[in-house]
Amino acid sequence: AVGVLPAGNAAAASSSAPCAAAAQACVDLSSQQAWLMRGGTVVYGPVPVATGKASAPTAPGTFHVFWKDLHHRSSLFNNAPMPYSVFFNGDEAFHQDSVKVGSNGCVHLTKQAAQTFYNTLHIGDVIQIVP
């Protein structure tokens, strides 16, 4: 459940999602959850995610959305479909895929979550991945 937080209450916001107030999307690698945020307040989530497997981990850090592709197919992994792709770190992206199977570095989302992330995030938005 997402609580309603008073405006400007960054301390309370950070207890809901473990990212800085500047982040528009937040991924917690340890809990395998993600959120969409505006001004430090959670506006969507948490939703389950699957991030990189041990051999291809998702890199923690702060990134920016640089490309979106609704019907992307992987140039690295046998033309695999990656619907609702939102790229933020090289070849790492949010996209629809199984949230039960580790990725090659991407952040897998359910179809509904992938659609929401795709429709909400814009080029230049801040993405924060925490360990």
Side-chain angles (χ1 to χ4, degrees):
V2 174
V4 178
L5 301 170
N9 191 342
S14 64
S15 66
S16 300
C19 292
Q24 274 91 35
C26 175
V27 177
D28 184 342
L29 296 173
S30 61
S31 70
Q32 294 290 287
Q33 291 183 307
W35 299 260
L36 290 171
M37 301 166 57
R38 282 291 177 265
T41 300
V42 172
V43 295
Y44 180 74
V47 295
V49 299
T51 58
K53 54 195 175 200
S55 59
T58 303
T62 300
F63 309 99
H64 292 87
V65 174
F66 67 88
W67 186 47
K68 293 169 57 173
D69 188 2
L70 185 60
H71 302 292
H72 189 69
R73 297 189 80 85
S74 175
S75 58
L76 300 175
F77 300 102
N78 302 316
N79 208 33
M82 296 170 55
Y84 307 104
S85 284
V86 178
F87 287 87
F88 58 85
N89 181 25
D91 57 5
E92 293 181 10
F94 293 105
H95 66 86
Q96 177 189 340
D97 207 324
S98 170
V99 296
K100 308 269 189 249
V101 178
S103 74
N104 286 293
C106 287
V107 178
H108 290 173
L109 298 161
T110 64
K111 181 176 183 180
Q112 180 183 13
Q115 289 172 329
T116 302
F117 273 60
Y118 184 88
N119 290 329
T120 303
L121 293 170
H122 302 286
I123 303 299
D125 280 357
V126 175
I127 309 301
Q128 189 174 0
I129 314 284
V130 298

